[in-house]
Amino acid sequence: DTGVSQDPRHKITKRGQNVTFRCDPISEHNRLYWYRQTLGQGPEFLTYFQNEAQLEKSRLLSDRFSAERPKGSFSTLEIQRTEQGDSAMYLCASSSSDPLGGLGAEAFFGQGTRLTVV
Amino acid sequence: RKEVEQDPGPFNVPEGATVAFNCTYSNSASQSFFWYRQDCRKEPKLLMSVYSSGNEDGRFTAQLNRASQYISLLIRDSKLSDSATYLCVVNSGYNKLIFGAGTRLAVHP
């Protein structure tokens, strides 16, 4: 399978614990996105990378959240001191460089990591 | 105000009906636009890109109105398999993709 892969698929953790999620994008894609989705809502932008550079981080994201993409390939999203409000689906997506000169390339999503904080 | 706004629905329509979804965006500098489809408990998948001249793909037609900052999706001859959530997506610059909350469609026999 050469799609976007996320690990783990499900994570249950106790409040206050740290969790880390991994995303492996499609191999030739240089852009990688992280989103959070709760029931009945669309994906909420968290952050994104072009190669290893983190280009933007949502202002909605607290300092407990950090993401890395050290070699421009896979990425990790860490949540420290988890809270019940962090319970959500965390989606990763990747896309190639824009082939259309500004019209935007398709983003492919992984199946997500469902986090439950108890 | 949210960057991308959609009517959440749900839209309940019979098979064969025509249904239209609208989406508005706040950033006038946005460059490109998409409709994604998301099935229950699945990841979003691209349905179609939205070009400035409007575009059609089978039963689906997308339109863009830059002056009014809205995007529309028209589905003709609805099928049961069209039941899903339709997400409006705006590339707000530097390839940052912003999603609307989605519009839920339920097609019934």
Side-chain angles (χ1 to χ4, degrees):
Chain A
D1 186 354
T2 56
V4 178
S5 175
Q6 291 189 244
D7 183 70
R9 295 287 307 279
H10 303 274
K11 178 71 177 178
I12 300 174
T13 190
K14 290 184 178 179
R15 190 174 50 187
Q17 297 295 304
N18 299 344
V19 294
T20 300
F21 310 142
R22 177 180 171 122
C23 171
D24 287 271
I26 294 171
S27 59
E28 63 269 24
H29 285 181
N30 62 351
R31 293 201 182 99
L32 187 148
Y33 304 83
W34 283 101
Y35 290 87
R36 176 173 63 190
Q37 188 172 27
T38 54
L39 195 63
Q41 298 297 315
E44 175 189 12
F45 173 81
L46 296 180
T47 188
Y48 80 121
F49 295 83
Q50 176 143 333
N51 300 312
E52 66 275 12
Q54 188 172 17
L55 296 187
E56 188 170 336
K57 183 176 174 180
S58 170
R59 287 188 295 273
L60 301 174
L61 218 56
S62 77
D63 290 342
R64 298 183 297 106
F65 288 72
S66 62
E68 292 183 343
R69 195 183 184 197
K71 297 182 180 178
S73 55
F74 74 92
S75 176
T76 58
L77 177 69
E78 181 183 18
I79 309 173
Q80 296 181 324
R81 304 182 303 282
T82 52
E83 302 172 355
Q84 287 187 317
D86 297 332
S87 296
M89 176 73 84
Y90 289 83
L91 292 163
C92 175
S94 70
S95 70
S96 60
S97 294
D98 185 350
L100 301 177
L103 295 184
E106 177 180 357
F108 293 84
F109 280 82
Q111 292 182 300
T113 294
R114 183 170 296 281
L115 173 67
T116 302
V117 182
V118 298
Chain B
R1 182 187 171 187
K2 290 185 178 180
E3 284 193 65
V4 181
E5 298 209 57
Q6 296 181 249
D7 181 343
F11 285 64
N12 293 300
V13 303
E15 277 186 289
T18 295
V19 62
F21 307 138
N22 289 329
C23 166
T24 58
Y25 60 95
S26 60
N27 184 351
S28 60
S30 298
Q31 294 296 311
S32 51
F33 311 88
F34 310 89
W35 285 100
Y36 275 67
R37 170 189 168 134
Q38 186 171 27
D39 293 297
C40 188
R41 295 189 174 275
K42 298 286 189 180
E43 71 274 21
K45 293 184 179 179
L46 180 68
L47 178 66
M48 51 195 309
S49 302
V50 185
Y51 303 126
S52 57
S53 56
N55 48 302
E56 187 174 312
D57 182 3
R59 298 181 293 108
F60 299 84
T61 300
Q63 296 278 348
L64 168 64
N65 184 320
R66 284 188 187 273
S68 301
Q69 294 180 209
Y70 83 79
I71 309 134
S72 65
L73 177 68
L74 183 77
I75 305 175
R76 291 181 298 277
D77 188 23
S78 299
K79 312 290 184 191
L80 294 176
S81 58
D82 293 334
S83 298
T85 296
Y86 291 83
L87 298 161
C88 175
V89 185
V90 173
N91 181 340
S92 66
Y94 301 103
N95 288 292
K96 177 182 170 184
L97 300 177
I98 303 299
F99 284 73
T103 297
R104 200 151 53 89
L105 172 66
V107 182
H108 57 83

